[in-house]
Amino acid sequence: LGEETSAWRRRVLLNASRPPPTRCKFFSLTETPEDYTLMVDDEGFKELPPSEFLQVAEATWLVLNVSSSSGAAVQAAGVTKIARSVIAPLAEHHVSVLMLSTYQTDFILVREQDLSVVIHTLAQEFAIYREVGGEAVPVVRDDSSNGFPRAQHGPSPTVHPIQSPQNRFCVLTLDPETLPAIAITLIDVLFYSHSTPKEPASGSLESSSIPFFAFSLIEGYISIVMDAETQKKFPSDLLLTSSSGELWRMVRIGGQPLGFDECGIVAQIAGPLAAADISAYYISTFNFDHALVPEDGISNVIEVLQRRQEGLAP
């Protein structure tokens, strides 16, 4: 019996090292103090088992990716690099967006029902392509002209409060071939290793460390955001980061759940940071938004964002 059990265990471990192929090409899982946020494509959603604990946003979202003319994704400066050309125009046309910055690029998620507005808003500055069967097909602006709502002057967006936890974060990537080597640590960090964060001091923007971990596997590229203490649990030779090894601090947006209908939340953060030439990665979750900025500039970032109400005043 002992020999049979050992042989069975070897087969299980062999199978675990070669996970079955999945049709899901867009997968993102983010842990926050409140919950976990999943962003998956249609195929990935079909693979999720039904659960009473799974709350699903009503709208279907489409993913936009801004690329250079050579096909290389916009990198390095995060969402601030596309703040003026993409985020601000969409906010002006009342398009609600979600953001997902990764190690490789930035993704903008818009509701499917807003596609015609998005195309008309961005077509003046960008050549727009739709992926069909793995091929990029040009989208003609006139193809979606029916019912296009013109920009209107709506009420000023709500200025949401911000907090900055004390964690120092790393933005990392990983060779997909080495993912099985960290799988057990990854599961442990996401679901079993938790500590209760302390309450922030009254009236302080600085809060104690919070649980935050983001993992995405999109079109074969892996991106991970974790705090510097959590990184110590992983093999240092497998996780890759920029040559500078820069550490990041977080600005957390929202005093209460933000919802999906309000427009301009990303713009009111990315805009001021872009104007101040401050790099930032941006991750939207089900309830709150999170901007990661260089550690040595966190004081300046908080000062810039505290002044944003002046720019949003009617």
Side-chain angles (χ1 to χ4, degrees), residues 6 9 11 17-18 28 110 114 124 131 138-139 148 164 175 182 206 215 219 236 240 251 286 290 293 296 310:
S6 298
R9 288 185 64 188
R11 285 198 295 272
S17 67
R18 294 180 178 272
S28 170
V110 299
D114 292 330
Q124 294 182 3
E131 183 177 314
V139 174
F148 171 64
S164 179
D175 185 338
I182 69 163
E206 293 268 343
F215 173 89
E219 297 288 350
S236 59
L240 309 174
V251 175
F286 205 89
H290 311 81
V293 299
D296 57 5
E310 300 173 10

Side-chain angles (χ1 to χ4, degrees), residues 80-140:
T80 49
K81 205 159 195 171
I82 54 175
R84 295 186 184 92
S85 57
V86 179
I87 302 300
L90 292 180
E92 290 173 1
H93 285 84
H94 305 288
V95 175
S96 179
V97 305
L98 301 175
M99 281 295 312
L100 179 64
S101 294
T102 69
Y103 185 90
Q104 292 79 18
T105 189
D106 296 279
F107 297 99
I108 308 156
L109 285 78
V110 299
R111 286 181 291 198
E112 189 173 28
Q113 66 200 49
D114 292 330
L115 180 59
S116 62
V117 182
V118 171
I119 292 174
H120 276 268
T121 301
L122 301 181
Q124 294 182 3
E125 186 166 346
F126 295 93
I128 301 177
Y129 297 84
R130 185 197 306 266
E131 183 177 314
V132 179
E135 298 292 329
V137 178
V139 174
V140 181

Side-chain angles (χ1 to χ4, degrees), residues 4-308:
E4 292 177 359
T5 303
S6 298
W8 176 80
R9 288 185 64 188
R10 283 198 296 270
R11 285 198 295 272
V12 170
L13 291 175
L14 178 61
N15 290 336
S17 67
R18 294 180 178 272
T22 175
R23 293 186 296 270
C24 180
K25 295 182 178 180
F26 192 103
F27 174 87
S28 170
L29 173 63
T30 305
E31 177 198 12
T32 65
E34 297 77 24
D35 50 29
Y36 296 88
T37 295
L38 275 170
M39 296 184 186
V40 293
D41 57 24
D42 288 339
E43 293 298 331
F45 184 73
K46 293 174 184 175
E47 295 175 5
L48 293 176
S51 171
E52 61 179 304
F53 303 107
L54 191 64
Q55 184 179 353
V56 182
E58 293 182 359
T60 299
W61 298 75
L62 302 177
V63 179
L64 308 179
N65 178 218
V66 181
S67 300
S68 68
S69 57
S70 63
V74 174
Q75 299 182 21
V79 69
T80 49
K81 205 159 195 171
I82 54 175
R84 295 186 184 92
S85 57
V86 179
I87 302 300
L90 292 180
E92 290 173 1
H93 285 84
H94 305 288
V95 175
S96 179
V97 305
L98 301 175
M99 281 295 312
L100 179 64
S101 294
T102 69
Y103 185 90
Q104 292 79 18
T105 189
D106 296 279
F107 297 99
I108 308 156
L109 285 78
V110 299
R111 286 181 291 198
E112 189 173 28
Q113 66 200 49
D114 292 330
L115 180 59
S116 62
V117 182
V118 171
I119 292 174
H120 276 268
T121 301
L122 301 181
Q124 294 182 3
E125 186 166 346
F126 295 93
I128 301 177
Y129 297 84
R130 185 197 306 266
E131 183 177 314
V132 179
E135 298 292 329
V137 178
V139 174
V140 181
R141 182 175 177 179
D142 292 342
D143 287 348
S144 58
S145 59
N146 293 335
F148 171 64
R150 300 297 175 183
Q152 300 175 356
H153 295 289
S156 298
T158 302
V159 180
H160 293 281
I162 61 172
Q163 284 189 342
S164 179
Q166 294 176 355
N167 310 52
R168 302 157 74 227
F169 290 93
C170 313
V171 181
L172 307 155
T173 189
L174 177 76
D175 185 338
E177 294 293 325
T178 63
L179 181 57
I182 69 163
I184 293 177
T185 305
L186 194 63
I187 292 172
D188 177 67
V189 166
L190 274 169
F191 303 115
Y192 296 102
S193 300
H194 291 282
S195 59
T196 304
K198 298 178 181 179
E199 292 296 324
S202 178
S204 173
L205 288 175
E206 293 268 343
S207 65
S208 296
S209 299
I210 65 168
F212 186 91
F213 191 99
F215 173 89
S216 65
L217 177 55
I218 301 173
E219 297 288 350
Y221 292 99
I222 293 176
S223 178
I224 304 175
V225 175
M226 67 178 83
D227 66 38
E229 289 301 311
T230 301
Q231 185 187 6
K232 297 175 182 178
K233 299 182 179 182
F234 291 84
S236 59
D237 58 331
L238 297 182
L239 300 178
L240 309 174
T241 188
S242 64
S243 58
S244 64
E246 191 168 31
L247 292 176
W248 303 75
R249 288 282 302 275
M250 176 187 290
V251 175
R252 184 168 150 92
I253 299 100
Q256 57 185 357
L258 298 173
F260 299 101
D261 296 324
E262 186 179 341
C263 306
I265 298 174
V266 180
Q268 68 170 262
I269 302 299
L273 295 184
D277 198 26
I278 298 172
S279 301
Y281 290 90
Y282 200 103
I283 298 177
S284 300
T285 61
F286 205 89
N287 289 309
F288 299 98
D289 282 12
H290 311 81
L292 295 168
V293 299
E295 179 185 26
D296 57 5
I298 185 63
S299 298
N300 186 32
V301 167
I302 292 176
E303 182 181 347
V304 166
L305 294 181
Q306 285 179 320
R307 293 199 305 261
R308 67 203 148 119

